[in-house]
Amino acid sequence: MDRYNPKAHHNPHAHVIHAPGARLMHGVKLRYVWNKVQGHGHRSPNASLNLVSFIDFLSVIVIFLLMSFSASGEIAVDKNVTLPKAENVEAIIDAPMVAVNGNQILVDGVQAGSTRSIEELGRLQKIDELFALLKNKRELWKQVQPNKPFPGVCILQVDQNVSALVVKSVFQTAAFAGYPNVSFMVGKIPSTSGAAPAAE
Amino acid sequence: MGGVDVDTGGKKRSTNSEINMVPFIDLLFVTVAFLLITAVWVTNSRINADAQVPGPPDPNKELTPQTPEKVLNLHIGENDFGLVWKQGATVVSEVKVPKTPVELGDGSTKVLRYPDLAKKIEEEWKAQGGHRDASDKKLDQCILYSDNRTQFKELVAVLDALYSPKREMILGKETKKIPVFNMTFSVR
């Protein structure tokens, strides 16, 4: 029964039960639409694109990005610090960050001393503010994880032009505060010798 | 788009079937976008050092006097480096290496390196180094002597040379290549 024909006998159940089969509209047959898409015997207006090379390209990008993906994320470096570069390095670890630039010393962004005052004094010294901040961090770590041994690792982000006197003072202060395993953050340069990369 | 063509040659229904590639391309696009957003382009690394702080004595262990190990003392001079192996207060060997810096790059990206020093340190370790076995977890010790005015980039260049010789070490179930030396600063 054709439900679009007004002359047809009105069946109260017509809206529920229909004859199976494809239908579009009363006047426009599905075959007509199909022929229209095909071009009525002429060249089809639909053009198909070969997607194989496109999918290959996307797959290569996905594989490259997955291989260079780092789950540990980016570690913020102080904007006033220019890190030196080295070849024989290890992977970075999660530890308190001490940034040392030409003017100040910062622990995780909090000021912990002045570089200028160390250079003016001209001798190795314990930096009291840095010592207090690192000691607080160590005690907090021990409170949070009382059953684990304290690793005693901290990372120094030192500007490449800072003098050895400042580096040694910060190093010694960190050791006094309970961080004997000090690491220096550096930029990584590719291996020139072709040897195996450092253990990570 | 994507399809599998199997010619049956009969009058049966064609076995060619079209796979809809649109969701697959969408998935690839979303993955590329996610990985590009979360990508870390600047890779920073670290160089190890050790302050050589002794731990508390074990009350259950009896202390036995041990012969001191050979330690490499690396002096950064004005024109040369001094490599001195000492056992306690006794000087075992002493070598001077002329300072021949090699600068890579230019401007702010300049990298200072000492390839001659790295070569000599490796030779010295092969001749005098005490910890060579893969099962030996201890590293040879190096004490770095530098002037207070030395710039940090020069210290890193020397540390890079010091950490260039590597040996195998068994860590758990796998064997890794690790630097042969552990460094600490000399302070007065």
Side-chain angles (χ1 to χ4, degrees), chain B residues 22-35:
Chain B
V22 173
F24 178 59
I25 294 168
D26 286 353
L27 174 74
L28 281 177
F29 265 122
V30 170
T31 314
V32 167
F34 167 76
L35 290 169

Side-chain angles (χ1 to χ4, degrees), chain A residues 49 51 54-55 58-59 61-66 68-70 73-75 77 82-93 122-124 153 155-168 171-172 175-176 179-190 192 196-200, chain B residues 1 21-22 24-25 27-29 31-36 38-53 104 107-113 144-157 159-166 171 176-179 183-188:
Chain A
L49 282 173
L51 290 173
F54 179 58
I55 293 166
L58 280 179
S59 302
I61 292 178
V62 166
I63 290 165
F64 166 74
L65 289 171
L66 277 173
S68 60
F69 181 76
S70 166
E74 193 170 6
I75 290 158
V77 179
T82 309
L83 294 174
K85 290 179 179 169
E87 186 183 320
N88 303 293
V89 293
E90 290 179 38
I92 211 91
I93 51 168
R123 64 176 172 79
L124 209 68
V153 180
I155 297 173
L156 306 187
Q157 294 175 7
V158 187
D159 187 87
Q160 61 178 2
N161 296 320
V162 165
S163 66
L165 174 67
V166 177
V167 178
K168 286 187 216 171
F171 189 90
Q172 193 187 38
F176 281 149
Y179 293 84
N181 301 315
V182 180
S183 291
F184 299 109
M185 189 187 267
V186 290
K188 191 178 180 181
I189 51 172
T192 51
E200 289 183 358
Chain B
M1 282 184 255
M21 300 301 284
V22 173
F24 178 59
I25 294 168
L27 174 74
L28 281 177
F29 265 122
T31 314
V32 167
F34 167 76
L35 290 169
L36 277 174
T38 58
V40 179
W41 301 111
V42 181
T43 51
N44 288 319
S45 302
R46 68 189 173 101
I47 281 185
N48 254 339
D50 191 347
Q52 290 289 294
V53 179
L104 308 171
S108 61
T109 59
K110 200 182 276 183
V111 181
L112 190 66
R113 305 200 69 201
L144 191 66
Y145 297 78
S146 74
D147 190 275
N148 284 342
R149 291 163 296 174
T150 310
Q151 284 189 325
F152 181 61
K153 63 181 169 189
E154 191 168 347
L155 290 181
V156 168
L159 287 179
D160 200 16
L162 182 70
Y163 288 139
S164 66
K166 293 185 176 72
L171 297 166
K176 282 186 174 177
K177 282 224 165 199
I178 57 150
M183 186 283 292
T184 193
F185 285 108
S186 161
V187 289
R188 284 198 188 116

Side-chain angles (χ1 to χ4, degrees), chain B residues 66-84:
Chain B
Q66 291 177 336
T67 50
E69 286 186 357
K70 275 192 275 189
V71 173
L72 176 68
N73 294 258
L74 205 167
H75 298 261
I76 304 174
E78 283 280 323
N79 303 312
D80 55 14
F81 297 105
L83 302 176
V84 185

Side-chain angles (χ1 to χ4, degrees), chain A residues 97 131 140-141:
Chain A
M97 288 280 169
F131 176 80
L140 187 69
W141 194 96

